[in-house]
């Protein structure tokens, strides 16, 4: 028997290439291409008065300088608003190059093309732009106050407003035995993949075709956007995502201005052009996420059961809304997590500020969380507050509010981001909690606390739960083809940024087709190989493409068995495929290789190879019909799509034990425990790796990383020197426990896992810090100096 | 303005003498990547913090983005490409990364591999804590480091068991 690889920790097929320096990331391509560099706004809000290029024109090696005035046709129009929504009253997008106004530091104003990047940057330095500086809007408070406008045509800086209600939450809170209110804040952060963005374009003048590489999470999206902007038939544009050095959300946005401008320049100049983003550019012109301010009113009974929950929050969407208002929409729908308050009301207002635009960051990305960390923070802080008020154990209050397994599928009465009713398909929350408590030693923690206290050390424990909608539609497709050499080609349109797709999709195909995994070769994110796709975000790749590829492989299997049945003169039902050989079950003397069937599947049989020679002994086909009968196609290949009725919901619970140093208020992580349920697991090694990476981003977001804008809209920490991305010394060893509640919604029973680690980060640390210190934690991330300051004020007030 | 003056820079890279004429300001990382076309060395920040550009200069790990190519002319440089065994199989640290799932997107990986390769020569039997310290100068956004630490320990184990490593 071919051993099943589904569920096994198969080592990754992509690794040998990547560990030996043979990866090909964007900037590894196009060494001879012209290089682009951008002059970007140094001001958060300004009017451009003049651009003087006199000195710049003298630089040897300069090819061209372009401002908004030079852009042509649709390239000069505003960038598209990708995801409109009825609640998005005032959507605004920027131009590829600023048209008179700049609205955040980092907005591109001039594009320079030169023989190499060093020269292009020299030219940028010599261009003089004069500005009329306007008063910027920075931070949610200023945006609300609306003394200044980000867009003069948008009243009160409000881009969107939405109210959703399930039951009459306000009345329920009013009549509840107990009430609490909380104000909760989360600051800005960013995905920060180690590789920035980048675009490389080749224009073929003879055939009028554009070939384009982008470090993107959606090559199909970029292709369509660029074709539209350059007024080219889709046929004439191909887009390839090469190896991508991390995404986490920021590379799902499209088209980025550079994705339009670089191909435009390549066509104009009839020469290959490349742009690779540098780190500062990434900080000030790629997307951020997370800044939200929440006000919560909650009513509950003696037992801690939530009777009414009313959440009002403000979201900082930056200067433009090309990606719509997906983040606050996700916060508003996913906030409830595993709980079932008797009534729920959520109202949000999305606000423009003169800062970089936002995009779902894991927690919706690569795999990692959008809008969810904020929602979980708000919900979990609320549950902890209830527990504290009633003097109940925090896990008990959680358990009392959990949706129970017998209530699945559970309709929350809301509409999810995919426009469909929010209904949890499966999950066993009490079991997850029981496992978590056992693993972390929740019930024995007070003993541990006293032991540490006796040594003069202060520790705390935190807990947080989340539910994550994964496998969001509308669809993905898969293509599977058997070559006569026995090589199996698999393609899917979505992209990879380190999720091990070449391995997990090969595992699926190896199992479905009964072939060795070594024979399976997977291509992702190349529109030449599979032109229809949505993209990699929101932990959807494994669910969507995994199922589509499985369905395509099943088509291939059916066809192979049918042809083999004809060749071996037996019923396909009696055949099996083992190690690439189709044979009669129980009679292994009658067999034919899958690759030989690949030859038989094509009536045109030139004997190019051994398989073709082997095929000559078999006869297939009905001589009373044409060589390719009406409902058939030549070749042994299959293509299928998977389009789910609804998202599938993964869930997880985290616990952390921390120690806080008495003098410095530094937080040290003693243990970090994760229990997660992402349905059937294709490759546990890869899923666990995703969790480790997610937890690291969760820790980073809770204790280290933030976007430090000053009041004039300057990002104060736009380098790895100042933005505290954690090193190995800051990240704990994760202890992970797994539950597998298969999803009933898809053929493979899988759910997404990419964002599992990151979502409850801020919530679980706030819970633990509050437990250790005894005072409320309402704002994350928290630095040692902030915690120290908080301690001091608490002491003074006491 | 005059075109920039070019300088001949000759290096021994992964045992092979290679050269190119470049301006004085060409970074060593760019020289390797774009002039010599050895793109295994990556660039994640260009300000010396992330470690993705780490290469071995006369066997010692250095940041290629902080050095001008002209200033090391005549030296011997090892990049991640040069840590592959002569028969084309993976070097021991590379193999350990594969076996321990020490990489996801792989962008940071070359910098870790060169760093760890040099570290294990100095300290062939690190404890887990030492392994954590050994990689504490490199950034990775994907893995949370846990499996990179595992890779360090696995590489040490492989070396002990006498697995082939040519470098
Ligand atoms: S690129 Fe050299 S340290 Fe980051
Ligand atoms: S594996 Fe992606 S940055 Fe380390």
């Amino acid at each position: 028997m071919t051993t099943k690889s589904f569920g096994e920790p198969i080592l990754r097929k992509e690794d040998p290439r990547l560990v030996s320096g043979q990866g090909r990331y964007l900037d590894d391509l196009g060494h001879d291409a012209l290089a682009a560099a951008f002059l970007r706004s140094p001001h958060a809000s300004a009017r451009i008065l003049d651009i003087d290029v006199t000195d710049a024109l003298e630089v040897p090696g300069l090819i061209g300088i372009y401002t908004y005035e030079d852009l042509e046709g649709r390239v000069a129009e505003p960038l598209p608003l990708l995801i409109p929504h009825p609640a998005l009253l005032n959507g605004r997008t920027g131009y590829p190059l600023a048209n008179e106004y700049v609205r955040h530091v980092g907005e591109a104003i001039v594009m320079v093309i030169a023989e190499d990047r060093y020269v292009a940057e020299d030219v940028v330095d010599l261009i003089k732009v004069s500005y009329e500086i306007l008063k910027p809007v920075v931070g949610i408070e200023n945006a609300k106050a609306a003394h200044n406008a980000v867009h003069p045509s948008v009243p009160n800086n409000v881009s969107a407003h939405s109210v959703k209600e399930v039951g009459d939450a306000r009345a329920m809170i009013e009549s509840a035995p107990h009430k609490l209110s909380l104000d909760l804040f989360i600051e800005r952060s960013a995905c920060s993949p180690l590789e920035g963005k980048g675009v490389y374009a080749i224009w073929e003048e003879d055939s009028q075709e554009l070939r384009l590489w982008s470090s993107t999470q959606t090559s199909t999206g970029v292709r369509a956007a660029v074709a539209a902007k350059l007024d080219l038939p889709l046929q004439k544009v191909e887009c390839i995502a090469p190896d991508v050095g991390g995404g986490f959300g920021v590379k799902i946005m499209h088209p980025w201005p550079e994705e339009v401008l670089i191909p435009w320049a390549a066509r104009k100049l009839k020469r290959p052009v490349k742009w690779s983003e540098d780190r500062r550019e990434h900080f000030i012109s790629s997307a951020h996420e997370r800044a939200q301010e929440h006000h919560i009113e909650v009513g509950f009974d003696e037992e801690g059961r939530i009777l009414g929950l009313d959440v009002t929050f403000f979201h900082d969407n930056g200067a433009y809304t090309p990606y719509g208002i997906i983040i606050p929409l996700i916060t508003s729908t996913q906030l409830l997590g595993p709980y079932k308050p008797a009534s729920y009301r959520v109202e949000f207002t999305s606000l423009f500020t003169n800062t970089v635009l936002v995009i779902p960051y894991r927690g919706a990305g690569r795999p990692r969380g959008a809008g969810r960390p904020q929602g979980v923070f708000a919900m979990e802080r609320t549950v902890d507050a209830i527990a504290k008020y009633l003097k109940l154990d925090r896990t008990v209050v959680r358990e009392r509010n959990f949706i129970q397994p017998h209530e699945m599928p559970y309709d929350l009465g809301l509409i999810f981001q995919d426009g469909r009713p929010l209904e949890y398909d499966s999950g066993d929350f009490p079991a997850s909690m029981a496992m978590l408590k056992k693993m972390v030693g929740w019930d024995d923690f007070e003993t541990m606390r006293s032991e540490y206290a006796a040594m003069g050390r202060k520790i705390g424990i935190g807990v947080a739960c989340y539910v994550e909608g994964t496998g969001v539609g509308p669809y993905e497709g898969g293509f599977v083809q058997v070559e006569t050499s026995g090589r199996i080609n698999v393609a899917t349109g979505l992209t990879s940024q380190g999720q091990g797709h070449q391995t997990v999709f090969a595992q699926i195909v190896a199992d479905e087709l009964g072939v060795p995994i070594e024979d399976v070769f997977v291509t992702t994110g190349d529109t030449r190989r599979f032109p229809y796709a949505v993209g990699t975000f929101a932990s959807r790749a494994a669910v969507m493409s995994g199922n589509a590829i499985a369905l395509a492989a099943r088509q291939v299997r059916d066809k192979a068995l049918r042809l083999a049945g004809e060749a071996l003169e037996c019923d396909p039902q009696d055949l099996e495929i083992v190690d690439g050989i189709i044979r009669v079950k129980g009679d292994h003397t009658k067999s034919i290789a899958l690759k030989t069937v690949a030859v038989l599947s094509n009536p045109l049989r030139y004997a190019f190879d051994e398989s073709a020679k082997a095929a000559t002994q078999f006869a297939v086909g009905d001589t009373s019909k044409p060589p390719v009968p009406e409902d058939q196609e030549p070749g042994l290949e299959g293509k299928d799509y998977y389009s789910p009725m609804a998202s599938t919901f993964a869930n997880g619970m985290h616990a952390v034990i921390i120690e806080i140093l008495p003098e410095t208020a530094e937080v040290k992580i003693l243990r970090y425990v994760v229990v997660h349920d992402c349905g059937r697991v294709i490759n546990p090694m890869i899923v666990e790796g995703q969790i480790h990476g997610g937890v690291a981003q969760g820790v980073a977001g809770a204790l280290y990383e933030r976007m430090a804008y000053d009041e004039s809209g300057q990002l104060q920490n736009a380098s790895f020197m100042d933005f505290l991305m954690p090193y190995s010394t800051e990240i704990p060893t994760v202890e992970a426990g797994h539950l597998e509640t298969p999803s009933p919604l898809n053929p493979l029973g899988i759910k997404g896992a990419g964002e599992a680690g990151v979502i409850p980060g801020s919530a679980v640390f706030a819970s633990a810090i509050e437990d250790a210190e005894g005072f409320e934690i309402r704002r994350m991330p928290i630095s040692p100096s902030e915690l120290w300051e908080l301690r001091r004020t608490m002491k003074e007030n006491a | 303005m005059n075109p920039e003056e070019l300088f001949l820079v000759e290096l021994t890279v992964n045992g092979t003498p290679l050269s190119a004429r470049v301006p004085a300001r060409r970074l060593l990382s760019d020289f390797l990547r774009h002039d010599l076309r050895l793109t295994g060395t990556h660039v994640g920040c260009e300000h010396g913090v992330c470690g993705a550009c780490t290469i071995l200069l006369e066997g010692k790990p250095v940041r290629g983005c902080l050095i001008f190519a002209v200033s090391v002319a005549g030296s011997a440089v090892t990049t991640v490409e040069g840590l592959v065994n002569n028969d084309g199989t993976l070097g021991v640290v590379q193999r350990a990364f594969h076996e321990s799932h020490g990489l996801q997107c792989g962008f940071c990986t070359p910098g870790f591999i060169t760093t760890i390769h040099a570290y294990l020569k100095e300290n062939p039997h690190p404890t887990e804590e030492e392994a954590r310290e050994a990689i504490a100068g490199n950034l990775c956004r994907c893995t949370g480091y846990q499996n990179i630490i595992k890779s360090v320990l696995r590489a040490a184990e492989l070396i002990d068991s006498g697995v082939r490593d040519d470098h």
Side-chain angles (χ1 to χ4, degrees):
Chain A
M1 274 305 283
T2 314
T3 38
K4 278 268 175 219
S5 65
F6 195 109
E8 295 299 316
I10 304 279
L11 297 184
R12 301 200 324 167
K13 287 173 77 84
E14 35 280 86
D15 289 353
R17 211 166 49 80
L18 299 180
V19 297
S20 56
Q22 300 307 314
R24 287 295 174 268
Y25 301 82
L26 194 281
D27 192 51
D28 302 341
L29 312 169
H31 296 287
D32 299 318
L34 298 174
F38 289 87
L39 184 152
R40 297 179 184 276
S41 174
H43 304 295
S45 181
R47 197 169 145 234
I48 300 164
L49 301 175
D50 181 55
I51 300 175
D52 177 4
V53 300
T54 327
D55 295 345
L57 290 174
E58 302 298 312
V59 179
L62 170 65
I63 302 287
I65 300 179
Y66 307 93
T67 68
Y68 176 77
E69 307 299 324
D70 301 304
L71 303 183
E72 299 147 334
R74 301 185 61 183
V75 177
E77 292 172 8
L79 292 161
L81 201 165
L82 287 179
I83 315 177
H85 188 276
L88 180 57
L89 311 166
N90 291 302
R92 292 290 184 276
T93 60
Y95 293 85
L97 293 171
N99 177 7
E100 195 175 348
Y101 290 94
V102 282
R103 296 196 172 83
H104 65 86
V105 169
E107 190 163 357
I109 299 173
V110 184
M111 172 170 68
V112 172
I113 308 280
E115 292 291 351
D116 87 10
R117 177 66 177 252
Y118 289 68
V119 174
E121 291 185 19
D122 289 347
V123 175
V124 167
D125 286 346
L126 292 171
I127 298 172
K128 297 187 192 77
V129 183
S130 39
Y131 303 90
E132 175 193 345
I133 298 172
L134 305 171
K135 287 216 172 79
V137 177
V138 182
I140 290 177
E141 281 318 305
N142 281 322
K144 274 201 274 189
H147 298 308
N148 302 300
V150 176
H151 300 274
S153 57
V154 176
N156 301 316
N157 294 316
V158 172
S159 68
H161 182 253
S162 155
V163 182
K164 285 182 192 135
E165 277 193 278
V166 186
D168 190 346
R170 289 187 160 172
M172 294 280 278
I173 294 167
E174 197 45 51
S175 61
H178 305 287
K179 306 182 233 313
L180 280 173
S181 52
L182 294 85
D183 288 298
L184 298 163
F185 307 89
I186 293 260
E187 288 188 46
R188 263 190 183 225
S189 187
C191 309
S192 310
L194 213 56
E195 181 204 30
K197 306 198 305 287
V199 190
Y200 168 44
I202 296 178
W203 173 253
E204 301 283 359
E205 179 66 12
D206 291 341
S207 55
Q208 298 281 301
E209 283 172 349
L210 179 71
R211 214 164 341 126
L212 163 69
W213 288 258
S214 180
S215 183
T216 180
Q217 289 171 239
T218 171
S219 50
T220 47
V222 173
R223 176 197 194 203
V226 169
K229 278 285 173 196
L230 299 192
D231 238 329
L232 286 165
L234 198 59
Q235 260 325 90
K236 295 281 186 188
V237 181
E238 294 297 354
C239 180
I240 301 141
D243 287 320
V244 174
F248 315 111
V250 62
K251 296 175 183 176
I252 191 69
M253 227 303 280
H254 63 281
W256 282 103
E258 299 86 1
E259 285 172 329
V260 175
L261 293 168
I262 301 302
W264 174 76
R267 181 172 67 175
K268 202 171 177 59
L269 298 165
K270 301 186 181 47
R271 289 183 62 182
V273 181
K274 181 170 80 171
W275 167 74
S276 301
E277 186 176 59
D278 71 25
R279 188 50 56 183
R280 179 170 164 79
E281 284 186 293
H282 190 79
F283 271 102
I284 62 171
S285 69
S286 288
H288 300 165
E289 211 237 287
R290 301 256 202 276
Q292 276 180 194
E293 176 185 302
H294 314 77
H295 178 77
I296 290 169
E297 299 281 337
V298 61
F300 47 98
D301 66 15
E302 304 294 340
E303 306 276 278
R305 273 186 209 96
I306 300 173
L307 303 172
L309 178 69
D310 184 3
V311 181
T312 311
F313 72 94
F314 293 89
H315 168 79
D316 170 356
N317 62 226
Y320 301 108
T321 55
Y323 213 71
I325 45 168
I326 203 87
I327 299 166
L329 284 173
I330 295 176
T331 301
S332 65
T333 52
Q334 295 257 275
L335 185 138
L336 297 179
Y339 310 113
K340 45 172 185 186
S343 61
Y344 174 50
R345 179 179 187 280
V346 58
E347 172 174 0
F348 73 76
T349 307
S350 190
L351 297 162
F352 285 111
T353 59
N354 287 111
T355 58
V356 177
L357 63 86
V358 300
I359 193 83
Y361 165 21
R362 187 180 201 165
R366 149 124 144 281
R368 295 172 185 184
R372 293 183 191 97
Q374 299 93 313
V376 169
F377 178 66
M379 189 70 215
E380 294 294 305
R381 293 283 67 218
T382 305
V383 180
D384 275 3
I386 295 171
K388 196 171 188 179
Y389 179 89
L390 295 174
K391 301 196 170 53
L392 289 171
D393 184 291
R394 285 167 284 167
T395 60
V396 169
V397 175
R398 283 175 170 80
E399 282 158 352
R400 288 184 182 156
N401 284 287
F402 277 160
I403 296 161
Q404 297 300 313
H406 69 264
E407 294 173 290
M408 295 289 174
Y410 188 87
D411 185 347
L412 286 97
L414 294 161
I415 299 297
F416 192 46
Q417 68 187 100
D418 55 9
R420 297 185 168 246
L422 183 61
E423 184 180 88
Y424 294 168
D425 54 318
S426 55
D428 187 340
F429 307 138
S432 293
M433 182 55 92
M435 188 170 181
L436 182 77
K437 284 172 74 169
K438 187 148 176 260
M439 282 178 70
V440 76
W442 183 269
D443 293 331
D444 304 327
F445 183 73
E446 289 314 318
T447 319
M448 184 176 173
R449 196 199 302 273
S450 352
E451 285 166 11
Y452 273 76
M455 298 184 281
R457 295 167 71 179
K458 190 195 287 184
I459 61 172
I461 191 167
V463 61
C465 312
Y466 69 92
V467 170
E468 178 199 1
T470 72
V472 194
Y475 73 88
E476 285 297 336
F479 172 73
V480 176
Q481 175 190 54
V482 182
E483 285 190 21
T484 56
S485 64
R487 177 189 162 106
I488 320 282
N489 299 313
V490 178
T492 186
L494 56 63
T495 57
S496 305
Q497 305 88 40
Q499 299 89 336
H501 291 154
Q502 292 173 20
T503 308
V504 292
F505 296 154
Q507 284 179 256
I508 292 171
V509 172
D511 283 2
E512 295 287 342
L513 278 188
V515 296
I517 192 165
E518 297 73 40
D519 291 349
V520 186
F521 296 85
V522 178
T523 305
T524 59
D526 185 337
T527 59
R528 297 170 301 184
R529 299 289 298 280
F530 205 98
Y532 290 96
V534 183
T536 300
F537 59 94
S539 302
R540 65 190 294 284
V543 180
M544 302 302 299
S545 283
N547 279 293
I549 287 169
L551 294 173
R554 286 173 197 178
Q555 284 184 9
V556 171
R557 182 187 175 86
D558 288 347
K559 182 165 186 182
L561 294 185
R562 184 173 53 71
L563 288 169
E566 287 179 31
L568 299 174
E569 293 169 359
C570 63
D571 185 343
Q573 302 272 356
D574 298 333
L575 296 173
E576 61 182 4
I577 316 180
V578 177
D579 267 332
I581 306 291
I582 306 176
R583 66 191 190 193
V584 177
K585 288 177 203 161
D587 174 10
H588 298 173
T589 57
K590 278 180 96 177
S591 71
I592 180 170
L594 187 64
K595 59 186 179 184
T596 312
V597 175
V599 178
L600 298 178
S601 70
N602 183 353
L604 183 69
R605 279 182 227 151
Y606 294 129
F608 291 122
D609 56 17
E610 290 308 316
S611 302
K613 284 181 209 148
T616 50
Q617 54 178 308
F618 299 101
V620 292
D622 182 342
T623 43
S624 67
K625 289 187 185 159
V628 180
E630 213 171 302
D631 52 349
Q632 297 297 322
E633 290 171 12
L636 189 50
E637 56 186 53
K639 180 158 73 171
D640 211 337
Y641 292 86
Y642 172 64
S643 180
M645 281 302 292
S647 295
T648 174
F649 288 82
N651 71 82
M653 303 189 184
H654 291 201
V656 67
I657 299 180
I658 56 160
E659 174 173 11
I660 308 185
L661 303 189
E663 305 82 11
T664 58
E666 257 175 286
V667 175
K668 291 233 172 304
I669 303 168
L670 303 183
R671 286 184 66 201
Y672 199 105
V673 179
V674 173
V675 167
H676 79 116
D677 180 351
C678 62
R680 285 185 72 204
V681 170
I682 307 171
N683 186 323
M685 178 192 80
I686 289 175
V687 166
E688 193 139 340
Q690 291 287 321
I691 290 172
H692 295 170
V695 168
Q697 286 180 333
V699 171
L703 302 178
Y704 301 101
E705 297 172 359
R706 71 183 76 203
M707 289 295 162
Y709 273 105
D710 68 8
E711 64 285 356
S712 63
Q714 296 293 338
L715 188 56
Q716 301 290 294
N717 59 345
S719 85
F720 278 163
M721 221 93 80
D722 304 302
F723 177 81
L724 303 178
M725 190 189 287
Y727 289 103
S728 58
T729 33
E730 283 74 53
I731 300 299
T733 300
V734 178
E735 304 162 48
H738 311 272
L739 277 170
E740 287 198 19
T741 320
S743 170
L745 295 182
N746 62 69
L748 297 175
I750 55 185
K751 303 175 181 181
E755 320 193 31
V758 73
I759 296 174
S762 285
V764 78
F765 279 99
S767 180
I769 295 170
E770 184 167 308
D771 181 55
E773 296 285 351
F775 50 77
E776 292 172 351
I777 301 295
R778 296 288 184 254
R779 177 184 282 277
M780 292 298 272
I782 189 161
S783 67
S785 55
E786 286 164 331
L787 183 53
W788 194 88
E789 215 24 70
L790 209 53
R791 245 190 213 167
R792 202 175 56 99
T793 14
M794 288 298 158
K795 225 181 255 161
E796 273 171 18
N797 294 348
Chain B
M1 268 186 240
N2 296 322
E4 277 179 275
E5 190 183 343
L6 300 182
F7 300 85
L8 178 69
V9 176
E10 295 175 307
L11 290 178
T12 305
V13 183
N14 303 327
T16 311
L18 295 172
S19 65
R21 295 182 66 82
V22 296
R25 62 176 170 169
R26 179 77 92 235
L27 297 175
L28 179 55
S29 48
D30 285 341
F31 181 77
L32 292 167
R33 291 176 44 72
H34 299 305
D35 296 297
L36 303 185
R37 310 218 163 167
L38 288 166
T39 54
T41 302
H42 294 162
V43 167
C45 69
E46 283 184 298
H47 48 255
V49 183
C50 75
C53 64
T54 307
I55 50 152
L56 305 179
L57 184 64
E58 305 293 354
K60 296 268 172 285
V62 296
R63 313 236 136 159
C65 73
L66 295 182
I67 299 173
F68 294 120
V70 283
S71 63
V72 296
S75 326
V77 164
T78 307
T79 68
V80 72
E81 289 96 334
L83 295 179
V84 174
N85 289 332
N86 301 331
D87 66 355
T89 56
L90 295 181
V92 75
V93 181
Q94 295 168 329
R95 177 168 156 189
F97 265 74
H98 178 46
E99 291 180 0
S100 313
H101 189 30
L103 66 153
Q104 291 182 28
C105 79
F107 197 78
C108 68
T109 313
F112 276 95
I113 288 177
T114 47
T115 304
I116 295 166
H117 180 87
Y119 174 78
L120 288 175
K121 298 252 182 247
E122 307 250 301
N123 183 1
H125 299 107
T127 62
E128 185 174 332
E129 265 329 287
E130 288 169 336
R132 187 182 289 279
E133 284 296 330
I135 58 160
N138 290 56
L139 286 173
C140 172
R141 192 53 158 176
C142 300
T143 64
Y145 305 105
Q146 194 160 330
N147 288 344
I148 300 183
I149 294 166
K150 217 164 130 187
S151 305
V152 178
L153 301 174
R154 176 70 183 143
E157 209 175 271
L158 288 171
I159 294 169
D160 268 354
S161 68
V163 160
R164 171 174 183 165
D165 192 42
D166 295 346
H167 301 286

